[in-house]
Amino acid sequence: SSIAMTYLAELHENALISFYLQNLTVEYHLADLLQRTYSSDREALLRRALGQYERFLARLDDYDVLNEKDKKLYERYTSNPSSFSLTTTNDAATRREVKINRFREEKELKQKLELDRLCSLSTNGRSNLHYLKYFANNQNRLQSDDEDVRKLYIAEINLYIHQSFQSLDLLSQELTMLSTIRNAAPNP
């Protein structure tokens, strides 16, 4: 009985961790949606998207989720958001190399995410009710299911971090162009 209670407490804690990991990406999804939306005031929309990406990355930084490479990119971004770029130079060869490397990194992250999804599906992930119902027969498998779900969320978060920095770079460029166009427009 005390073993069952301990296990139930652990299941509850793991479910909360998985739930929390899943909800770390809300700002990313809002930013992505805003970035893909078009309206008559594109500049305001992009600034809202930028704010959501900033909140997403700030929260991950607060919880020490960013790896060293991403921390450095985040520090570069926060030091000068309006002119953020993935490269620190305008050299075409360097920019091309950075773009190719980031493409490869993104491809690897997507492959890892897909692999984690397949592993999660193959272990037949279930709800907490299933855990309680089959506790006696499936204890090891049930722990594995929740671990697979957490791995999936972590892989997804890593992909979203990568894509967020690419989006910040693109948004910075687009906002600069929109500002230039707005300032160059003749006054009626």
Side-chain angles (χ1 to χ4, degrees), residues 4 7 9 15 22 46 51 57 76-77 85 90 99 104 126 128 130 132 136 138 141 153 164 182-183:
Y7 183 70
Q22 181 182 13
L46 294 180
L57 292 170
R76 268 194 22 230
Y77 174 77
S85 177
N90 282 333
K99 193 171 190 173
R104 285 185 186 135
R126 304 282 181 156
N128 285 339
H130 175 79
L132 298 174
N138 297 306
R141 183 174 180 177
Y153 288 141
S164 291
R182 183 175 27 84
N183 293 334

Side-chain angles (χ1 to χ4, degrees), residues 54-181:
E54 288 171 357
R55 279 188 277 292
F56 170 66
L57 292 170
R59 185 173 351 172
L60 295 178
D61 186 48
D62 288 344
Y63 290 111
D64 210 23
V65 174
L66 300 176
N67 64 34
E68 284 305 311
K69 184 179 174 185
D70 291 331
K71 263 186 206 261
K72 288 178 184 174
L73 274 175
Y74 182 65
E75 288 169 5
R76 268 194 22 230
Y77 174 77
T78 56
S79 70
N80 196 355
S82 62
S83 64
F84 175 75
S85 177
L86 290 170
T87 61
T88 55
T89 179
N90 282 333
D91 177 50
T94 303
R95 290 185 70 77
R96 185 173 44 254
E97 185 177 326
V98 167
K99 193 171 190 173
I100 290 169
N101 288 337
R102 293 207 45 97
F103 175 78
R104 285 185 186 135
E105 289 170 4
E106 183 171 350
K107 186 177 177 182
E108 288 172 15
L109 288 167
K110 285 180 178 178
Q111 286 172 342
K112 179 170 178 18
L113 181 60
E114 193 57 35
L115 180 63
D116 286 346
R117 278 191 178 132
L118 290 173
C119 289
S120 179
L121 290 173
S122 69
T123 58
N124 195 19
R126 304 282 181 156
S127 69
N128 285 339
L129 290 175
H130 175 79
Y131 290 148
L132 298 174
K133 207 173 191 181
Y134 296 100
F135 169 77
N137 298 330
N138 297 306
Q139 184 174 358
N140 290 336
R141 183 174 180 177
L142 293 174
Q143 287 175 334
S144 172
D145 284 349
D146 203 47
E147 289 171 24
D148 288 341
V149 169
R150 277 195 300 280
K151 285 180 187 176
L152 180 65
Y153 288 141
I154 291 168
E156 191 175 60
I157 288 168
N158 286 327
L159 176 63
Y160 294 161
I161 291 168
H162 184 85
Q163 291 176 332
S164 291
F165 285 116
Q166 287 181 197
S167 292
L168 290 172
D169 185 7
L170 291 172
L171 288 174
S172 175
Q173 292 175 37
E174 189 171 350
L175 284 167
T176 299
M177 285 188 289
L178 289 172
S179 176
T180 302
I181 291 169

